[in-house]
Amino acid sequence: RGALPVEIRNEKARWLLALLAVSWGEPISIELLVEEFWPGVTSQRGRKNLSHTLVQLREAFAAAGSDVDVMVLRNTAEWRLNPDHLG
């Protein structure tokens, strides 16, 4: 049985995942993500928005029976897609 499709309803969450995908496993700094998706907000507010977007991705992946935390590798400075799951 194949995996269920992941339905990501939030537009920024979809674009965030797309940006990580086109980077093909290369790390993207959190500061760049904040600047790209929430220009003009403080770093603290942008990080909160990024965190909220991750929650939306987790919910979408969980509804499809998957775990986004296996796909997206994160630390305090950067995010990237797990290269073990690319291809």
Side-chain angles (χ1 to χ4, degrees):
R1 175 179 165 210
L4 295 173
V6 176
E7 183 179 342
I8 303 169
R9 296 178 186 216
N10 179 279
E11 184 176 21
K12 285 200 181 192
R14 286 193 307 264
W15 281 110
L16 174 63
L17 191 59
L19 178 61
L20 293 171
V22 299
S23 298
W24 199 249
E26 291 296 316
I28 302 175
S29 76
I30 289 176
E31 294 308 316
L32 178 66
L33 293 173
V34 168
E35 289 172 18
E36 286 291 320
F37 289 97
W38 298 279
V41 303
T42 65
S43 178
Q44 181 181 7
R45 183 71 212 159
R47 284 176 176 265
K48 284 183 180 183
N49 290 346
L50 185 59
S51 179
H52 178 72
T53 302
L54 179 60
V55 168
Q56 292 171 321
L57 286 172
R58 279 186 180 130
E59 290 171 353
F61 274 75
S66 296
D67 183 0
V68 78
D69 291 316
V70 171
M71 299 292 292
V72 178
L73 301 177
R74 301 173 294 117
N75 63 41
T76 58
E78 60 194 23
W79 287 19
R80 68 185 174 120
L81 284 186
N82 187 339
D84 294 339
H85 294 281
L86 297 175

